[in-house]
Amino acid sequence: MYSNRALRTILISLVLVLGPLLSALAIISPVGADPASGETTFYFKDILGIEEIPEYGSMGMSVLVSQTPPTKQNDSIYPPNLIDGSKLHLEELSAWVAFYFLEDLTGEFGDELGDLLDGFELFFPHPLRIVETYEYDGSEAIKIDGDVSFDLHFSSRMVFVDNDKVNVALYSLSLDSLLPIPNMIKNKTVEITPESLKKINEQTVTIENVNHTLEPGDSLLFKIELIPGNKTATEWLKKESPILEKIVNCVINWINNSELPAVQNVSEFIDEISVLADEFNITKEDAAEILNSMISSSLVYDSVNHPSSVTLPFKAPGASRDENTKIYYLHSGNKMDEQEPTKQDSSKNNLKNSINWDGSALDRSKILKEATVNLYINYKDIRYLKDNIKITASLFNEGTKIASCEAKLDKTQEWLQTSTNLIAFSFSNLDDNVEITYDTYLSLEISASNYTNFGKDFIRSAELLYDSSEFPSSLTLVFGETDNIKISADLLSDDKKIIPLGSVKYDLNVTSSEADDITITKQDFSDTESEKWDISINPESFSISDDGHKTVNVVITSTFNDIDADQYPLEVNFSATGKTGKDIFTANAEVSKDAVDYDIRITVPPGRKIEHGTNDTYHFIIKNNNTGVWPDSYTIEASSENNWTVECKPTNVNGLAAGGEKNINVTLSVPKDTEIVSDLLTFTVTSETGSISVTVNVTTTVIGQNVFEGIYGFFESAAEDLGLNEIFGSLAPVVFATILIIIVFLILVIVVFILTTKSADIICFERIKEISPEENARFEITVKNPTKKTQSYELSLKENLESYKWDASLDLKRVMLEPGQSKTMVLIVRPTDLIKTDDWAEIGVVVRTEGMRKTEEMTVMTLIKDSKAELSIGGVTHWPRSFKRGDRVTTSFKVKNKGNASASGVDVILYINDKEKNKVDDVIIPAGGYADIRMPWIVGKSKNEINIVVR
């Protein structure tokens, strides 16, 4: 017998067990139509993965929404039911209780952590909330501007549901941010308004005027959270009731005495609740709140009949329907195709007679895996004593039935109006190996049965609606590929890992069981990937015979020659496609540092000769000769065979670019007193990335003293012979050399003094003169005896001029002077008649002291100014004086120079009737002189005009 304390626990257990059973009071009714709308619709997937494992986002914390409508028949319900038939889900019950109290714990955190959890808590599981994600992988930002509509389906667990609400919200998430936390864009809370007597209801919640920019790599998060309202059915639990306690006692006695397995399961369930009640200290008020949540509305989603979705005002890129999933929409004219209907008015057919639609022929043979029909049927059936109307769908291939399925329509309640319902059913009897060959088509036939008195539309009618945007009745087909075409591959390269600009080569072995024309194409190869990779296929298309074989060469080449190339691995699909089938091979290529061939090149300097007691530096050059584009780091070591001192700079080289070079200086010091004549220097470079080492050697030859060392040895020996070592010690050679240098210096000073002492001074205060050609330049030159004895001087001229243009003379050729005495003489420089404009003369006056070889010299300069040649023609005569055509005539004249400068290079030209007849070149006419010119010419005409030109 349970104790009194346990009575509370048992009561709570019974309430939690019986609470979900109250949902049995609801009445099942078909769901209404779900019209397609919006630019992009995302469908919520089952987050619990009951029938299939969902696909998660990049963070692995939320399920990805799908752009493909769901095809499965079974509804997904969240939160899930605690009771499935007679089975009790203890795990779900424990989760309810645990999450209920976990919600209270979040309020214990501080404000900052609480604000952080407000966004991040979306990733935590919650029994009343689902969060799913859309990840944008486009290359450009998308502007979202408009309304976001959540088209949701809700189930009511109770006949009377009070004040349940739903909160929908749109969040953004950037994975590139330092702390990726969801940021709410906008949200809305509305009351769930179920229709009476319907178990599952559809409701649209619209978040208006959403304005957001979706950047590449960002994600959108969609939240649906149920908010339970207060239920009158749970209020009695909070009250004290003696009658309730008596009922509990009766139940306890019955449980104790019952041997039924189901009752024993309830007993175990009560034990579980007892543990939870003790652990969380659950009161009746707590139990009432938990029960209040458990019997509230649930979200129904991810099924053909109830595809809960969210529609956004933008066109999402990619995510197109798989080519093997086809949705054929039913159109008027008995045709069906993949063109989604857009017109407003629906086509209608009464189901008294069967209707059929033909699809387009397949361009490739395929295996039909699944087939589902979604029909919008407007019907009414209030004949409760008759069988339900049964809808039958049949699938044909070129007139041969390959599958059929049927669904019964529930009775309706309306007398005066009909309701439109989406009826979905699948062809469960489809053969697993139904091959639909190319160039054949599928047909769909819809018929109705059990329609006794079907014509009385007042109480019983059924009508199919299709070919409109509101009622897009359709056939969904899921195909698989045939086994006719197969691809296998041989990797011809050593590895799939390559360096930039490297290639991965495959041989694709294509076989076909039937004759076909096959095309090889690459798939899922984006524009971004094509910027970094190149793919060649040879041949791209070919014909193949029955059970034939063909080898296709595929070369994948990296074209991105950059150190970041290893950030872009490639996975690409190659498809072999023909009429009879298709197969896909997935190839991989990756730029990786693992593919680098490491190599170090060292430029070795030639061996050197180093003297004892000195050092010298070797200059090595190391080169990063690795394949690829990545830098490498190196450790440098150098050592001497004889353990002499070696200094290496630098000893580490970091980040040397591929193909880059670095100078390394290694200094070797040779000991002074060594008797070793050679040394082997070892130089080693080790790659830190590639773990390879390269070692080279250089031989050093040790040589004796040089000339300077010999001189030092001489001074050292001389100082020792002179006994200077006893006075100056080890500095004796230096002191002796210093004394010797001082003596030599003094001798040189004396010699320089003697050589620089003057025996005569020559003085001229105006050493440059300008004269006209008619003038003479007069220079007064003074000679002084600076010595202390009488000297006799001889004077002469050293002319640096064109002698025929100038005359120079001294009025005194010899002079004798007492010590300190001086004498002035005159130098006259005269230009001749041959002087020209801008001529000049440089004349040196040389004074030689008798009895000495040394002379003193001074230079003066004369320049010509205002010189000009003036030419004129006169005395022109002709002989003979009279002449006729063909006679030889001599014209004589004088060209005079009336200027003061000589004219040289004068050309004289004779023109007869404006034609040059004779010419005299390079005539020189001195100033005041003239030139006699005679020019013969032949008479050409009876009348002749003569011109003489001088230039």
mmCIF file of all heavy atoms in Angstrom, residues 835-873:
data_model
loop_
_atom_site.group_PDB
_atom_site.id
_atom_site.type_symbol
_atom_site.label_atom_id
_atom_site.label_comp_id
_atom_site.label_asym_id
_atom_site.label_seq_id
_atom_site.Cartn_x
_atom_site.Cartn_y
_atom_site.Cartn_z
ATOM 1 N N ILE A 835 94.505 88.058 -89.145
ATOM 2 C CA ILE A 835 93.728 87.829 -87.918
ATOM 3 C C ILE A 835 92.246 87.715 -88.252
ATOM 4 O O ILE A 835 91.756 88.369 -89.184
ATOM 5 C CB ILE A 835 93.972 88.977 -86.901
ATOM 6 C CG1 ILE A 835 93.585 88.505 -85.494
ATOM 7 C CG2 ILE A 835 93.188 90.221 -87.287
ATOM 8 C CD1 ILE A 835 94.606 87.540 -84.958
ATOM 9 N N LYS A 836 91.526 86.825 -87.573
ATOM 10 C CA LYS A 836 90.105 86.616 -87.788
ATOM 11 C C LYS A 836 89.328 86.937 -86.504
ATOM 12 O O LYS A 836 89.898 87.065 -85.426
ATOM 13 C CB LYS A 836 89.838 85.166 -88.193
ATOM 14 C CG LYS A 836 90.463 84.788 -89.522
ATOM 15 C CD LYS A 836 90.025 83.400 -89.959
ATOM 16 C CE LYS A 836 90.508 82.350 -88.994
ATOM 17 N NZ LYS A 836 90.161 80.972 -89.444
ATOM 18 N N THR A 837 88.044 87.025 -86.723
ATOM 19 C CA THR A 837 87.160 87.289 -85.573
ATOM 20 C C THR A 837 87.303 86.177 -84.535
ATOM 21 O O THR A 837 87.397 84.999 -84.880
ATOM 22 C CB THR A 837 85.703 87.365 -86.034
ATOM 23 O OG1 THR A 837 85.611 88.370 -87.042
ATOM 24 C CG2 THR A 837 84.773 87.716 -84.887
ATOM 25 N N ASP A 838 87.376 86.590 -83.271
ATOM 26 C CA ASP A 838 87.438 85.688 -82.123
ATOM 27 C C ASP A 838 88.771 84.960 -81.996
ATOM 28 O O ASP A 838 88.885 83.983 -81.256
ATOM 29 C CB ASP A 838 86.311 84.637 -82.179
ATOM 30 C CG ASP A 838 84.943 85.270 -82.108
ATOM 31 O OD1 ASP A 838 84.827 86.337 -81.476
ATOM 32 O OD2 ASP A 838 83.992 84.682 -82.669
ATOM 33 N N ASP A 839 89.807 85.389 -82.744
ATOM 34 C CA ASP A 839 91.140 84.816 -82.525
ATOM 35 C C ASP A 839 91.689 85.292 -81.202
ATOM 36 O O ASP A 839 91.315 86.356 -80.681
ATOM 37 C CB ASP A 839 92.092 85.211 -83.664
ATOM 38 C CG ASP A 839 91.944 84.314 -84.875
ATOM 39 O OD1 ASP A 839 91.254 83.285 -84.721
ATOM 40 O OD2 ASP A 839 92.483 84.631 -85.944
ATOM 41 N N TRP A 840 92.580 84.519 -80.609
ATOM 42 C CA TRP A 840 93.213 84.887 -79.355
ATOM 43 C C TRP A 840 94.624 84.303 -79.330
ATOM 44 O O TRP A 840 94.948 83.379 -80.060
ATOM 45 C CB TRP A 840 92.422 84.384 -78.136
ATOM 46 C CG TRP A 840 92.205 82.908 -78.143
ATOM 47 C CD1 TRP A 840 91.232 82.243 -78.776
ATOM 48 C CD2 TRP A 840 93.027 81.929 -77.505
ATOM 49 N NE1 TRP A 840 91.328 80.899 -78.591
ATOM 50 C CE2 TRP A 840 92.442 80.667 -77.782
ATOM 51 C CE3 TRP A 840 94.171 81.982 -76.708
ATOM 52 C CZ2 TRP A 840 92.985 79.484 -77.310
ATOM 53 C CZ3 TRP A 840 94.681 80.805 -76.232
ATOM 54 C CH2 TRP A 840 94.108 79.552 -76.515
ATOM 55 N N ALA A 841 95.473 84.859 -78.449
ATOM 56 C CA ALA A 841 96.881 84.419 -78.348
ATOM 57 C C ALA A 841 97.258 84.278 -76.885
ATOM 58 O O ALA A 841 96.911 85.118 -76.049
ATOM 59 C CB ALA A 841 97.826 85.411 -79.023
ATOM 60 N N GLU A 842 97.902 83.187 -76.541
ATOM 61 C CA GLU A 842 98.413 82.944 -75.192
ATOM 62 C C GLU A 842 99.943 82.881 -75.286
ATOM 63 O O GLU A 842 100.502 82.039 -75.983
ATOM 64 C CB GLU A 842 97.870 81.633 -74.654
ATOM 65 C CG GLU A 842 98.254 81.392 -73.205
ATOM 66 C CD GLU A 842 97.667 80.098 -72.685
ATOM 67 O OE1 GLU A 842 98.004 79.035 -73.245
ATOM 68 O OE2 GLU A 842 96.884 80.145 -71.728
ATOM 69 N N ILE A 843 100.615 83.811 -74.581
ATOM 70 C CA ILE A 843 102.081 83.955 -74.670
ATOM 71 C C ILE A 843 102.662 83.797 -73.278
ATOM 72 O O ILE A 843 102.208 84.433 -72.312
ATOM 73 C CB ILE A 843 102.481 85.315 -75.264
ATOM 74 C CG1 ILE A 843 101.866 85.440 -76.666
ATOM 75 C CG2 ILE A 843 103.986 85.480 -75.289
ATOM 76 C CD1 ILE A 843 102.064 86.794 -77.291
ATOM 77 N N GLY A 844 103.659 82.931 -73.156
ATOM 78 C CA GLY A 844 104.321 82.722 -71.894
ATOM 79 C C GLY A 844 105.656 83.446 -71.823
ATOM 80 O O GLY A 844 106.453 83.385 -72.772
ATOM 81 N N VAL A 845 105.860 84.144 -70.712
ATOM 82 C CA VAL A 845 107.150 84.828 -70.456
ATOM 83 C C VAL A 845 107.970 83.927 -69.543
ATOM 84 O O VAL A 845 107.556 83.628 -68.424
ATOM 85 C CB VAL A 845 106.915 86.201 -69.818
ATOM 86 C CG1 VAL A 845 108.261 86.873 -69.532
ATOM 87 C CG2 VAL A 845 106.061 87.071 -70.727
ATOM 88 N N VAL A 846 109.142 83.490 -70.024
ATOM 89 C CA VAL A 846 109.982 82.538 -69.306
ATOM 90 C C VAL A 846 111.223 83.267 -68.793
ATOM 91 O O VAL A 846 111.936 83.942 -69.573
ATOM 92 C CB VAL A 846 110.382 81.363 -70.220
ATOM 93 C CG1 VAL A 846 111.254 80.384 -69.443
ATOM 94 C CG2 VAL A 846 109.141 80.684 -70.777
ATOM 95 N N VAL A 847 111.446 83.116 -67.458
ATOM 96 C CA VAL A 847 112.644 83.727 -66.841
ATOM 97 C C VAL A 847 113.520 82.596 -66.318
ATOM 98 O O VAL A 847 113.093 81.813 -65.473
ATOM 99 C CB VAL A 847 112.244 84.680 -65.707
ATOM 100 C CG1 VAL A 847 113.513 85.252 -65.043
ATOM 101 C CG2 VAL A 847 111.357 85.794 -66.235
ATOM 102 N N ARG A 848 114.755 82.521 -66.881
ATOM 103 C CA ARG A 848 115.706 81.494 -66.452
ATOM 104 C C ARG A 848 116.863 82.154 -65.722
ATOM 105 O O ARG A 848 117.483 83.100 -66.213
ATOM 106 C CB ARG A 848 116.208 80.700 -67.639
ATOM 107 C CG ARG A 848 117.072 79.500 -67.233
ATOM 108 C CD ARG A 848 117.504 78.707 -68.450
ATOM 109 N NE ARG A 848 118.425 79.475 -69.240
ATOM 110 C CZ ARG A 848 119.748 79.535 -68.978
ATOM 111 N NH1 ARG A 848 120.248 78.876 -67.972
ATOM 112 N NH2 ARG A 848 120.530 80.249 -69.756
ATOM 113 N N THR A 849 117.131 81.617 -64.514
ATOM 114 C CA THR A 849 118.264 82.129 -63.725
ATOM 115 C C THR A 849 119.535 81.444 -64.219
ATOM 116 O O THR A 849 119.582 80.214 -64.309
ATOM 117 C CB THR A 849 118.046 81.845 -62.234
ATOM 118 O OG1 THR A 849 116.789 82.426 -61.843
ATOM 119 C CG2 THR A 849 119.153 82.457 -61.401
ATOM 120 N N GLU A 850 120.520 82.277 -64.554
ATOM 121 C CA GLU A 850 121.779 81.716 -65.049
ATOM 122 C C GLU A 850 122.425 80.870 -63.965
ATOM 123 O O GLU A 850 122.434 81.241 -62.797
ATOM 124 C CB GLU A 850 122.743 82.835 -65.490
ATOM 125 C CG GLU A 850 122.275 83.568 -66.729
ATOM 126 C CD GLU A 850 123.316 84.581 -67.198
ATOM 127 O OE1 GLU A 850 124.322 84.740 -66.496
ATOM 128 O OE2 GLU A 850 123.095 85.204 -68.257
ATOM 129 N N GLY A 851 122.884 79.720 -64.376
ATOM 130 C CA GLY A 851 123.519 78.796 -63.436
ATOM 131 C C GLY A 851 122.549 77.824 -62.809
ATOM 132 O O GLY A 851 122.945 76.956 -62.035
ATOM 133 N N MET A 852 121.277 77.904 -63.170
ATOM 134 C CA MET A 852 120.262 77.017 -62.628
ATOM 135 C C MET A 852 119.368 76.491 -63.766
ATOM 136 O O MET A 852 119.146 77.174 -64.760
ATOM 137 C CB MET A 852 119.379 77.743 -61.587
ATOM 138 C CG MET A 852 120.169 78.294 -60.388
ATOM 139 S SD MET A 852 119.109 79.168 -59.226
ATOM 140 C CE MET A 852 118.047 77.877 -58.688
ATOM 141 N N ARG A 853 118.926 75.234 -63.624
ATOM 142 C CA ARG A 853 118.035 74.672 -64.627
ATOM 143 C C ARG A 853 116.586 75.100 -64.430
ATOM 144 O O ARG A 853 115.793 75.102 -65.361
ATOM 145 C CB ARG A 853 118.120 73.155 -64.585
ATOM 146 C CG ARG A 853 119.468 72.616 -65.052
ATOM 147 C CD ARG A 853 119.401 71.099 -65.055
ATOM 148 N NE ARG A 853 120.659 70.529 -65.548
ATOM 149 C CZ ARG A 853 120.903 69.239 -65.665
ATOM 150 N NH1 ARG A 853 119.926 68.376 -65.333
ATOM 151 N NH2 ARG A 853 122.068 68.783 -66.120
ATOM 152 N N LYS A 854 116.294 75.419 -63.215
ATOM 153 C CA LYS A 854 114.907 75.765 -62.893
ATOM 154 C C LYS A 854 114.547 77.098 -63.494
ATOM 155 O O LYS A 854 115.334 78.031 -63.455
ATOM 156 C CB LYS A 854 114.693 75.779 -61.384
ATOM 157 C CG LYS A 854 113.257 76.047 -60.976
ATOM 158 C CD LYS A 854 113.131 76.054 -59.457
ATOM 159 C CE LYS A 854 111.690 76.356 -59.054
ATOM 160 N NZ LYS A 854 111.546 76.469 -57.587
ATOM 161 N N THR A 855 113.339 77.196 -64.072
ATOM 162 C CA THR A 855 112.845 78.444 -64.659
ATOM 163 C C THR A 855 111.527 78.829 -63.997
ATOM 164 O O THR A 855 110.826 77.995 -63.426
ATOM 165 C CB THR A 855 112.622 78.298 -66.175
ATOM 166 O OG1 THR A 855 111.644 77.292 -66.407
ATOM 167 C CG2 THR A 855 113.925 77.953 -66.887
ATOM 168 N N GLU A 856 111.208 80.102 -64.140
ATOM 169 C CA GLU A 856 109.918 80.625 -63.690
ATOM 170 C C GLU A 856 109.165 81.102 -64.913
ATOM 171 O O GLU A 856 109.775 81.619 -65.868
ATOM 172 C CB GLU A 856 110.103 81.768 -62.693
ATOM 173 C CG GLU A 856 110.910 81.402 -61.473
ATOM 174 C CD GLU A 856 110.237 80.355 -60.606
ATOM 175 O OE1 GLU A 856 108.982 80.256 -60.648
ATOM 176 O OE2 GLU A 856 110.953 79.644 -59.876
ATOM 177 N N GLU A 857 107.857 80.940 -64.909
ATOM 178 C CA GLU A 857 107.072 81.244 -66.089
ATOM 179 C C GLU A 857 105.746 81.892 -65.693
ATOM 180 O O GLU A 857 105.164 81.571 -64.663
ATOM 181 C CB GLU A 857 106.795 79.971 -66.905
ATOM 182 C CG GLU A 857 106.032 80.206 -68.192
ATOM 183 C CD GLU A 857 105.851 78.918 -68.976
ATOM 184 O OE1 GLU A 857 106.615 77.960 -68.757
ATOM 185 O OE2 GLU A 857 104.914 78.854 -69.799
ATOM 186 N N MET A 858 105.312 82.855 -66.555
ATOM 187 C CA MET A 858 104.014 83.502 -66.383
ATOM 188 C C MET A 858 103.373 83.641 -67.759
ATOM 189 O O MET A 858 104.074 83.911 -68.747
ATOM 190 C CB MET A 858 104.178 84.878 -65.730
ATOM 191 C CG MET A 858 102.833 85.570 -65.437
ATOM 192 S SD MET A 858 103.049 87.256 -64.864
ATOM 193 C CE MET A 858 103.675 88.018 -66.340
ATOM 194 N N THR A 859 102.086 83.514 -67.843
ATOM 195 C CA THR A 859 101.348 83.534 -69.109
ATOM 196 C C THR A 859 100.431 84.743 -69.150
ATOM 197 O O THR A 859 99.752 85.073 -68.169
ATOM 198 C CB THR A 859 100.519 82.264 -69.275
ATOM 199 O OG1 THR A 859 101.396 81.135 -69.236
ATOM 200 C CG2 THR A 859 99.765 82.258 -70.592
ATOM 201 N N VAL A 860 100.414 85.410 -70.352
ATOM 202 C CA VAL A 860 99.470 86.495 -70.605
ATOM 203 C C VAL A 860 98.631 86.110 -71.804
ATOM 204 O O VAL A 860 99.040 85.269 -72.627
ATOM 205 C CB VAL A 860 100.197 87.834 -70.839
ATOM 206 C CG1 VAL A 860 100.974 88.257 -69.609
ATOM 207 C CG2 VAL A 860 101.122 87.757 -72.046
ATOM 208 N N MET A 861 97.474 86.753 -71.926
ATOM 209 C CA MET A 861 96.542 86.393 -72.996
ATOM 210 C C MET A 861 96.031 87.648 -73.666
ATOM 211 O O MET A 861 95.730 88.646 -73.004
ATOM 212 C CB MET A 861 95.375 85.591 -72.444
ATOM 213 C CG MET A 861 94.399 85.119 -73.507
ATOM 214 S SD MET A 861 93.156 84.014 -72.808
ATOM 215 C CE MET A 861 94.153 82.588 -72.466
ATOM 216 N N THR A 862 95.954 87.582 -75.039
ATOM 217 C CA THR A 862 95.458 88.693 -75.853
ATOM 218 C C THR A 862 94.235 88.207 -76.628
ATOM 219 O O THR A 862 94.290 87.175 -77.303
ATOM 220 C CB THR A 862 96.532 89.194 -76.822
ATOM 221 O OG1 THR A 862 97.690 89.580 -76.088
ATOM 222 C CG2 THR A 862 96.012 90.386 -77.615
ATOM 223 N N LEU A 863 93.149 88.998 -76.576
ATOM 224 C CA LEU A 863 91.909 88.656 -77.251
ATOM 225 C C LEU A 863 91.580 89.720 -78.289
ATOM 226 O O LEU A 863 91.915 90.897 -78.117
ATOM 227 C CB LEU A 863 90.753 88.549 -76.257
ATOM 228 C CG LEU A 863 90.951 87.595 -75.071
ATOM 229 C CD1 LEU A 863 89.761 87.693 -74.130
ATOM 230 C CD2 LEU A 863 91.109 86.178 -75.576
ATOM 231 N N ILE A 864 90.938 89.349 -79.403
ATOM 232 C CA ILE A 864 90.529 90.273 -80.449
ATOM 233 C C ILE A 864 89.084 90.691 -80.194
ATOM 234 O O ILE A 864 88.204 89.863 -79.950
ATOM 235 C CB ILE A 864 90.655 89.619 -81.836
ATOM 236 C CG1 ILE A 864 92.110 89.358 -82.179
ATOM 237 C CG2 ILE A 864 90.039 90.499 -82.915
ATOM 238 C CD1 ILE A 864 92.950 90.621 -82.267
ATOM 239 N N LYS A 865 88.835 92.016 -80.336
ATOM 240 C CA LYS A 865 87.475 92.517 -80.219
ATOM 241 C C LYS A 865 87.161 93.426 -81.407
ATOM 242 O O LYS A 865 88.058 93.945 -82.067
ATOM 243 C CB LYS A 865 87.289 93.283 -78.909
ATOM 244 C CG LYS A 865 88.097 94.578 -78.858
ATOM 245 C CD LYS A 865 87.822 95.344 -77.578
ATOM 246 C CE LYS A 865 88.617 96.664 -77.575
ATOM 247 N NZ LYS A 865 88.350 97.476 -76.378
ATOM 248 N N ASP A 866 85.902 93.627 -81.657
ATOM 249 C CA ASP A 866 85.419 94.519 -82.719
ATOM 250 C C ASP A 866 86.050 94.209 -84.062
ATOM 251 O O ASP A 866 86.382 95.099 -84.871
ATOM 252 C CB ASP A 866 85.675 95.995 -82.375
ATOM 253 C CG ASP A 866 84.979 96.395 -81.089
ATOM 254 O OD1 ASP A 866 83.896 95.809 -80.794
ATOM 255 O OD2 ASP A 866 85.477 97.277 -80.383
ATOM 256 N N SER A 867 86.257 92.960 -84.387
ATOM 257 C CA SER A 867 86.848 92.594 -85.680
ATOM 258 C C SER A 867 85.745 92.190 -86.644
ATOM 259 O O SER A 867 84.776 91.537 -86.258
ATOM 260 C CB SER A 867 87.840 91.445 -85.507
ATOM 261 O OG SER A 867 87.196 90.307 -84.988
ATOM 262 N N LYS A 868 85.903 92.595 -87.929
ATOM 263 C CA LYS A 868 84.883 92.341 -88.913
ATOM 264 C C LYS A 868 85.472 92.404 -90.310
ATOM 265 O O LYS A 868 86.290 93.272 -90.601
ATOM 266 C CB LYS A 868 83.743 93.350 -88.782
ATOM 267 C CG LYS A 868 82.577 93.086 -89.718
ATOM 268 C CD LYS A 868 81.475 94.115 -89.474
ATOM 269 C CE LYS A 868 80.289 93.855 -90.389
ATOM 270 N NZ LYS A 868 79.237 94.890 -90.207
ATOM 271 N N ALA A 869 85.068 91.472 -91.152
ATOM 272 C CA ALA A 869 85.497 91.495 -92.550
ATOM 273 C C ALA A 869 84.391 92.109 -93.405
ATOM 274 O O ALA A 869 83.230 91.740 -93.269
ATOM 275 C CB ALA A 869 85.805 90.088 -93.032
ATOM 276 N N GLU A 870 84.742 93.106 -94.292
ATOM 277 C CA GLU A 870 83.773 93.765 -95.159
ATOM 278 C C GLU A 870 84.209 93.521 -96.601
ATOM 279 O O GLU A 870 85.247 94.018 -97.042
ATOM 280 C CB GLU A 870 83.697 95.257 -94.864
ATOM 281 C CG GLU A 870 83.180 95.556 -93.467
ATOM 282 C CD GLU A 870 83.055 97.065 -93.221
ATOM 283 O OE1 GLU A 870 83.269 97.847 -94.191
ATOM 284 O OE2 GLU A 870 82.745 97.462 -92.095
ATOM 285 N N LEU A 871 83.421 92.729 -97.344
ATOM 286 C CA LEU A 871 83.780 92.341 -98.705
ATOM 287 C C LEU A 871 82.958 93.146 -99.710
ATOM 288 O O LEU A 871 81.769 93.426 -99.488
ATOM 289 C CB LEU A 871 83.533 90.852 -98.904
ATOM 290 C CG LEU A 871 84.312 89.908 -97.982
ATOM 291 C CD1 LEU A 871 83.922 88.463 -98.275
ATOM 292 C CD2 LEU A 871 85.804 90.102 -98.124
ATOM 293 N N SER A 872 83.619 93.482 -100.833
ATOM 294 C CA SER A 872 82.950 94.190 -101.929
ATOM 295 C C SER A 872 83.539 93.714 -103.244
ATOM 296 O O SER A 872 84.649 93.175 -103.308
ATOM 297 C CB SER A 872 83.106 95.714 -101.778
ATOM 298 O OG SER A 872 84.480 96.091 -101.864
ATOM 299 N N ILE A 873 82.749 93.949 -104.339
ATOM 300 C CA ILE A 873 83.169 93.534 -105.683
ATOM 301 C C ILE A 873 83.368 94.798 -106.539
ATOM 302 O O ILE A 873 82.517 95.695 -106.553
ATOM 303 C CB ILE A 873 82.115 92.627 -106.327
ATOM 304 C CG1 ILE A 873 81.883 91.382 -105.470
ATOM 305 C CG2 ILE A 873 82.522 92.220 -107.743
ATOM 306 C CD1 ILE A 873 80.736 90.529 -105.957
#
